[in-house]
Amino acid sequence: MSKKKIVLISTFPDIQAYGIRMVSSTLKNAGFETNLIFLNASFGTLYSEDVLRQVSDIAGDSLFVGISLMTNFFERAKQVTVYLKKHLKIPVVWGGIHTAIKPDECLKYADIICIGEAEKAIVSLAEKLIVSAQPAQIDNFWFNINGKTVKNRIVPFIDSIDGLPFPDYEYVNHFVIDKKRLIPMDLKLMEEYLGYEYSTIATRGCFYNCTFCANNFFEKNFNMPGNMKLRSGKMQDLIEELARIKKHLNFIRIFKFADDLFMALPEETLKEFCRLYKESGLGLPLDITGVHPLILKEDKFKLLVAAGLKYVRMGIQSGSHNIRRLYGRSESDNKILESAGIIHKYKNRLKAICYDFMVDNPWETTEDIKDSLRLLVQIPRPYRINLFSLTLYPGTELYNKAKQEGIVSNEGFQIYDKHYHDNVNTSYYNGLFKIIPIYRLPKRCFIFLINHKSNLLAKIICFILLKGINPVVRLARLKYLIDEGVRDAVSGDFERVNKFIFRQSKVVH
């Protein structure tokens, strides 16, 4: 066994895996060697015997194996853990949101679980495992020792994220599933599986308490001072992270901030970021997903657009006042439309505007659904929507309500095995959510479809429009690609055009 080698595994279908990349960098800074394994099989599939055997071979001489998971990937983490414990005699450590929410369930399989943020705690664990196979007194860790649970003090959040290392994208000693086999990562595979977008997190936390969100769980179960609900690092460090990535991964074309509330940063902080970003000469488009209608201010938005913001995504979730109240959200229709109007004002300088809505809510009435669709009709074009089927994640307020009311009867089927994106039920109204953003029809046409579900003509129109979505989307995509290709050609940059023409697609199994 190597006392300095640690294997970290992601069970997610992609290779972004921010959590284990941060943990890896922290361990490296403390003198440990890390191997990262991205078990990036498509959602809903478990791993083959060959892949599991390869994982075991890589992990065989390590100090411990760490596995990151959320609820939707519990079965994968269990499968890998059971296999490793059958073939190896090293501890398996689980981390991620699910370990905090369901610690007893996780300790049925893992030897050790981490609850809360791991960057500082993980080094203590690694150092103590060097000298003892069963260290029992480490904050943020619970242990399964001979079938008994040893619980330690939970300190779920790091006081300051200043000084934390950048995520580990070195890709040496990283592995990825490619054509049914685990193979060493290289720059070409990084491009293939990461894509052109680099995703990072500039802030941590959220001061809203949406009842469907994991932040709701932490707010209600851990003592969090108000100043820790939203934490950010130095803007200069953020710029340095982006610069390193652009140099190291030369295929990156977009910087994405996947924070919950990036735009909640103080205006002076955003001014500093925008100034530093422009001075850096990085020049890549920015993508910001952490937009809440209550925090969107035009002064901030204008600053970011001037700095290079091209893609923006705002969470609306529902157009029904009743459902927003159920979700713990206090914004009005007018506030949502006001924020959408600010975004629309800069549409000519943006490449994509996206809004999130949630459907398949067991507490929604037909009128609630119609309210959402009517609000959608009022949002100025162009825009796209991300449509999510409400998932009642354990630990959240809505999960507890659903359990009490008997709505959740089969957690495996309704939650654990439910895809967190591609799971929207087929229904007339869900079809309208897909239709309204695509077609530029008069508002009265959409209102007719919203109000006359049982009308035969409405059903026929809806059916025809749904069938036409794919051709319309393909045409829009073709236009976008042509526009981008022309723009690159005019600027003399043919790299992206060549990659698009000559790239060979790969299938992840």
Side-chain angles (χ1 to χ4, degrees), residues 197-340:
E197 189 172 75
Y198 172 70
S199 180
T200 190
I201 298 176
T203 66
R204 291 190 186 183
C206 179
F207 43 67
Y208 296 109
N209 295 307
C210 298
T211 57
F212 53 79
C213 179
N215 287 320
N216 173 254
F217 169 81
F218 287 110
E219 169 70 16
K220 293 189 175 300
N221 290 275
F222 297 98
N223 182 24
M224 293 193 312
N227 64 343
M228 289 181 63
K229 290 184 180 179
L230 188 72
R231 297 155 291 152
S232 65
K234 293 183 176 67
M235 294 298 103
Q236 183 61 59
D237 291 343
L238 178 58
I239 298 298
E240 184 181 346
E241 175 188 345
L242 301 181
R244 287 190 184 185
I245 286 294
K246 185 177 180 182
K247 182 178 180 180
H248 186 58
L249 305 177
N250 58 13
F251 54 85
I252 292 297
R253 295 283 180 171
I254 300 170
F255 292 135
K256 175 181 178 179
F257 299 131
D259 311 42
D260 289 325
L261 285 181
F262 182 83
M263 286 193 183
L265 286 169
E267 186 171 344
E268 288 304 311
T269 303
L270 286 177
K271 281 183 179 178
E272 180 188 12
F273 166 75
C274 292
R275 175 181 60 80
L276 291 171
Y277 188 73
K278 287 189 279 190
E279 290 175 355
S280 72
L282 289 168
L284 295 185
L286 302 176
D287 180 351
I288 294 177
T289 65
V291 182
H292 190 294
L294 290 178
I295 64 168
L296 182 57
K297 308 296 181 186
E298 184 169 2
D299 288 348
K300 292 182 179 181
F301 196 75
K302 185 177 180 180
L303 283 170
L304 290 163
V305 170
L309 177 63
K310 295 295 182 185
Y311 306 86
V312 62
R313 176 178 156 196
M314 182 170 77
I316 295 175
Q317 316 310 352
S318 176
S320 163
H321 172 74
N322 292 331
I323 297 304
R324 287 201 300 270
R325 184 169 54 192
L326 176 72
Y327 290 161
R329 298 177 69 108
S330 60
E331 62 271 23
S332 64
D333 285 359
N334 286 340
K335 182 58 181 175
I336 292 170
L337 292 173
E338 176 189 325
S339 295

Side-chain angles (χ1 to χ4, degrees), residues 419-442:
H419 195 291
Y420 51 101
H421 284 312
D422 302 328
N423 51 29
V424 173
N425 291 335
T426 300
S427 71
Y428 178 85
Y429 290 122
N430 284 354
L432 292 184
F433 275 104
K434 298 175 182 179
I435 286 169
I436 291 171
I438 297 295
Y439 294 97
R440 293 181 175 272
L441 300 176

